Amino acid sequence: MCVSRCSAGPGPRAHSELHGPSMGRRWFEVGAPRGAGWQGGLMSKAGPGAASTSAAAESWAGCHRLQDSLFSSDSGFNNYRGILNWCVVMLILSNARLFLENLIKYGILVDPIQVVSLFLKDPYSWPALCLVIVANVFAVAAFQVEKRLAVGALTEQAGLLLHVLNLATILCFPAAVALLLESITPVGSVLALMVYTILFLKLFSYRDVNLWCRERRARAKAKAAGWALASLPPSLPPADLYYFLFAPTLCYELNFPRSPRIRKRFLLRRLLEMLFLTQLQVGLIQQWMVPTIQNSMKPFKDMDYSRIIERLLKLAVPNHLIWLIFFYWFFHSCMNAVAELMQFGDREFYRDWWNSESVTYFWQNWNIPVHKWCLRHFYKPMLRRGSSKWVARTGVFFASAFFHEYLVSIPLHMFRLWAFTGMMAQIPLAWIVSRFFQGNYGNAAVWLTLIIGQPVAVLMYVHDYYVLHYEAPVVGA
Ligand SMILES: CC(C)(COP(=O)(O)OP(=O)(O)OC[C@H]1O[C@@H](n2cnc3c(N)ncnc32)[C@H](O)[C@@H]1OP(=O)(O)O)[C@@H](O)C(=O)NCCC(=O)NCCS
């Protein structure tokens, strides 16, 4: 006999397959409250006065019914919130153990004074800051070129040449200073080179957008259509360029969307996050990453592969945690704080990259300012000029690989191409992941490449840096 059972809400859903084809009727009906089976129907028909009758009927009906176990996929059960909480509790517990083990083994290694020495060798010499201040010269140069182009005092070819010279100097000048100046520290160099790289990307965009405007103006003139001219500014105010240089975007626009006011509480929260997360990152690097890296040098020297893998996996945990904190700190706290201060309206600095089921999705969503710049000023122009998608994508990753290497090799004074290779490897990796892994497997594959890929690059650079700077050369070798 098939008993009609009613079930509602997110609870387990019984499956008609249980009955087999001969059973005919489904026992699963949607609509009535959970537990209100045919007994429930009896009770509702008899009314509340017949409660004792219904209780007797309930015990007579028995306590079993056809149903799947929750872990069976046929049950349709998918509420694993408690298990997620369990994962978090386990994560906290295992990390608490690691934290304690680290403290017992190394004591407290966090040292704020040491952090200052990473930025400055000599308290009276601030070469990185001087470099950043000098960067204004290049911004003003780009502005002057655009100003002359706007009034027709320069030909397009001359303007292009001057822009190319300016942009090339933006990349070469800080690199030369970082390589030649003894007093600049690697961390100072990285920060200065980052500022120059951002300036390069911004001025590239500034030049492109102004050129597009001039072209549009010329087309409008040719058609004698006044409406197009009205949407373009008559001149280029320098304040406009400086607003763009400080705004959290790499893509220039004539009119940025603006937020109506500065929300003080929002700004304060972001500033507090910035302060706290900076301390946390520095503390974690000093206390957790540095000793792990130092302990990895011997296995590397001895070429002890099993120990190298063990060290790599050990480093992967703090490295990944710090990277996640960095992501939140930079893309949420810092960028929102700057945007709030400048009333910059577009706050899409990242999208849900953590749900990436492919490497392509990850690169489209993790760093929106860079991705937008790549699309607008590199990828789409290449496609428009007739390049295939594959060539355009390879071109973008090549440029990205160049900048990654630029930001690592020059400050460390060594050219090993690990960062370059890591970025270029994204192209075959994207293909492999999309070909062999889908859905949750794809997501796990993306996480795995992030968790393992980065510490490999870190260890390679640290190992090479260590060998180059701290290992005594063998005499006569
Ligand atoms: C290379 C890269 C730009 C490709 O982006 P993508 O989104 O996968 O590219 P798609 O082929 O899907 O196309 C993207 C856009 O081009 C447009 N497009 C496609 N073919 C086109 C064509 N022939 N002409 C013009 N536009 C075209 C699409 O419509 C789409 O437009 P939309 O963004 O407005 O929707 C991206 O992977 C990337 O940014 N990589 C580098 C990231 C990086 O290095 N980040 C560093 C962070 S530290």
Side-chain angles (χ1 to χ4, degrees), residues 185-197:
T185 64
V187 176
S189 295
V190 171
L191 293 179
L193 289 180
M194 268 184 179
V195 170
Y196 273 83
T197 304

Side-chain angles (χ1 to χ4, degrees), residues 4-10 27-38 40-41 44:
S4 173
R5 173 184 170 267
C6 298
S7 170
W27 62 312
F28 170 70
E29 287 169 19
V30 182
R34 185 184 165 86
W38 64 269
S44 61

Side-chain angles (χ1 to χ4, degrees), residues 363-407:
W363 289 114
Q364 287 167 342
N365 293 286
W366 113 268
N367 183 341
I368 294 298
V370 170
H371 174 64
K372 256 189 197 159
W373 188 94
C374 290
L375 275 183
R376 193 181 186 221
H377 298 289
F378 205 125
Y379 187 70
K380 287 188 186 179
M382 274 187 89
L383 291 178
R384 278 197 292 269
R385 283 191 198 109
S387 300
S388 70
K389 273 197 174 192
W390 191 89
V391 170
R393 188 166 286 143
T394 308
V396 172
F397 276 102
F398 185 87
S400 182
F402 165 79
F403 280 111
H404 278 83
E405 193 60 48
Y406 174 80
L407 291 173

Side-chain angles (χ1 to χ4, degrees), residues 18 20-21 93 136 212 271 278 320 412 420 447:
L18 272 171
L93 271 183
N136 283 288
W212 296 337
L271 291 175
T278 307
H320 188 61
L412 294 180
F420 185 88
W447 277 115

